[in-house]
Amino acid sequence: MSEFIKIVEVGPRDGLQNEKQPIDVDIKVGLVQRLVDAGVRYIEAASFVSPRWVPQMAGSAEVLRRVPRVPGVHYSALTPNLQGLEAALAVGCEEVAVFGSASESFSQRNINCSIRESLARFRAVIDGARAHRVRVRAYVSCVLGCPYEGDIAPAKVAEVALTLREMGCDEISLGDTIGRGNPNTTRRMLEACLSVLPASQLAGHYHDTYGMAIANTVASLDLGIRVFDSSVAGLGGCPYAVGASGNVATEEVVYLLHSLGYETGIDLSQLIQAGAYISAALGRDVSSRVARAWGHPASLSPNQPATTRWRRP
């Protein structure tokens, strides 16, 4: 049996949160439905932050109430504070996420506090989630470079990751927020983190600004990383990092992994249809190179019903 790689689909949250146009709850639920139909098992579907700051995440509670509840499919939500945690728990969220940074400057610009202060804020959220037996995922941003500071020391990334793990986070996602990493810098960063944490507790979260995300994924696989975040159709970006493109497209990651002989449980053809659906809903061409090469269904309408078939690995 081929080795299984866990894909965490972040398009419904990390991908859509930076869109300028309003996105109806129906469209968000339709995207999640299609991802589930494609066999995606781990989906970050919502964010319980103030709609004043992230208006595209309005309606997150309704999204989580309406998404298909299929055995083996797991939904998570971003919860930066106790109020967000309470809202997530109220709709049965089984995993929540907090976010920190390996860059002091980015932390100040993003959440208006130092790294140390941000971690202190998360403690109550982490403790509250664990008290309800809810898993906690942590994101560490700017692990391979900061738009304000430049290079980030791998030891600093490892320090933040270890602190989050000691606070009770189950999985630490290492984010190349501005996409400036390459295989060499990725290896050095991961080697520092692996010196203090096992590979089973780490995930790669690579943006594709310079086209390096797939190369960085391969470098991570070589070091034993078996969890990767990605965004269908390459949705997303970072409002605090000028010029940063979205996460690597899930279509590209799945194509890579399948071609290397790994198992993901994801049907690439149906995944491409999910990417075409959300691209049509947003009024843009499909951006995934794999989808374009595959021959995506250009006529797919956002209103076309999703299928109900779910492929298990």
Side-chain angles (χ1 to χ4, degrees), residues 269-291:
S269 179
Q270 286 189 275
L271 179 67
I272 288 170
Q273 291 182 44
Y277 164 83
I278 192 60
S279 297
L282 297 174
R284 66 181 60 158
D285 292 334
V286 171
S287 62
S288 163
R289 287 165 291 185
V290 166

Side-chain angles (χ1 to χ4, degrees), residues 32-171:
V32 172
Q33 175 69 71
R34 286 161 175 80
L35 290 169
V36 172
D37 291 341
V40 181
R41 302 168 71 182
Y42 301 91
I43 303 173
E44 188 181 53
S47 175
F48 289 97
V49 298
S50 170
R52 182 177 62 176
W53 296 109
V54 188
Q56 292 299 359
M57 290 296 100
S60 283
E62 185 179 354
V63 169
L64 283 175
R65 280 193 291 265
R66 291 177 52 188
V67 292
R69 299 290 176 169
V70 178
V73 174
H74 308 277
Y75 297 110
S76 64
L78 193 67
T79 56
N81 51 42
L82 281 175
Q83 183 177 1
L85 173 64
E86 291 168 359
L89 293 174
V91 289
C93 198
E94 60 191 275
E95 180 180 83
V96 298
V98 297
F99 58 91
S101 177
S103 161
E104 287 289 353
S105 298
F106 191 84
S107 182
Q108 290 286 355
R109 302 270 188 126
N110 191 10
I111 54 178
N112 301 311
C113 65
S114 69
I115 294 174
R116 182 183 296 274
E117 290 169 334
S118 71
L119 296 178
R121 291 180 184 179
F122 300 148
R123 186 173 296 279
V125 177
I126 295 168
D127 290 346
R130 292 183 67 83
H132 286 84
R133 298 184 180 180
V134 169
R135 281 175 50 86
V136 183
R137 197 168 199 255
Y139 292 98
V140 183
S141 60
C142 296
V143 300
L144 294 172
C146 171
Y148 313 113
E149 291 185 19
D151 293 340
I152 299 296
K156 184 62 178 180
V157 180
E159 176 189 341
V160 174
L162 177 60
T163 300
L164 286 164
R165 177 62 188 129
E166 290 175 339
M167 291 171 66
C169 294
D170 299 283
E171 190 169 88

Side-chain angles (χ1 to χ4, degrees), residues 213-235:
I214 287 296
N216 294 339
T217 299
V218 174
S220 303
L221 286 166
D222 290 344
L223 289 174
I225 303 302
R226 295 296 183 264
V227 183
F228 295 95
D229 300 351
S230 58
S231 180
V232 65
L235 298 173

Side-chain angles (χ1 to χ4, degrees), residues 34 272-278 280-281 296-305:
R34 286 161 175 80
I272 288 170
Q273 291 182 44
Y277 164 83
I278 192 60
H296 71 83
S299 62
L300 190 66
S301 165
N303 297 319
Q304 181 173 333

Side-chain angles (χ1 to χ4, degrees), residues 90 191 280:
E191 286 167 353

